[in-house]
Amino acid sequence: MSTPARYDISGVELTDDRYTVIQSFIRNKYRAEDAAGNTVLKGKQKLFKMKEEFPFTDGNGQEVFTVKAGGIIDVAGNYMLSDAQTGEDIVVLDNDFSMLQDTWRIRDARTEEVLARIDSRGAAVTLARNFLPFGVLIPHKYEITDVNGNHVGKITGQFSVKDRYDIVIDDASNVPKEPIIAAAMVIDAIQGN
């Protein structure tokens, strides 16, 4: 069963199973590379906005989608992913704030149906990242599952001067890839990691 066409984003076609997300040194600015090292997406957090906003472009700089917070201060809330070319809301990245585990859900923008979950792996690591001095240096590790809890992939941070994440998608037949890649960037920026 393949991902329904309603989750396609104009101008984006992610066909690989592996991506690397790299953060810029200066601010919440990211790029996603495919397995061959080609930049497929770029995103950055807009500065001085009342609501957090992340415009994403393809490798050539064409705007393809935007992720925007539902509220002014939205530590645990909704972030809408909208197609930049059609204006259509595609999915919602929903943060379920907890000190013990970072949980994000990817939901259908129309039906609110949960499509996937992104959960941090291990309460001890999450606590250490949140409370220990220099805890933010501990890399992220997330498990990606579908609505039934079946393994879809993982997001694994690497020790480096700037944040770097490897995203491996083992089975995205029921889960749209673009929101997973966008979520990896947004999670890092929102949680100040």
Side-chain angles (χ1 to χ4, degrees), residues 52-129:
E52 291 183 293
E53 186 174 335
F54 305 84
F56 286 82
T57 63
D58 63 15
N60 298 320
Q62 289 291 107
E63 193 167 345
V64 288
F65 62 88
T66 300
V67 176
K68 193 177 216 178
I72 293 174
I73 298 175
D74 222 355
V75 174
N78 299 332
Y79 297 83
M80 183 66 69
L81 187 150
S82 304
D83 188 310
Q85 294 178 18
T86 66
E88 183 181 356
D89 293 337
I90 307 290
V91 297
V92 177
L93 306 175
D94 183 20
N95 182 7
D96 193 9
F97 182 74
S98 168
M99 290 294 181
L100 298 176
Q101 182 168 359
D102 295 326
T103 299
W104 289 76
R105 290 184 301 269
I106 298 172
R107 294 185 287 120
D108 183 286
R110 286 183 236 135
T111 67
E112 301 287 318
E113 172 190 4
V114 175
L115 305 172
R117 286 176 52 116
I118 300 173
D119 293 299
S120 62
R121 293 189 270 174
V125 171
T126 302
L127 285 169
R129 285 186 54 80

Side-chain angles (χ1 to χ4, degrees), residues 23-36:
Q23 182 181 17
S24 168
F25 281 116
I26 299 170
R27 62 180 212 164
N28 290 337
K29 186 175 177 180
Y30 303 85
R31 76 177 185 276
E33 297 176 349
D34 62 15

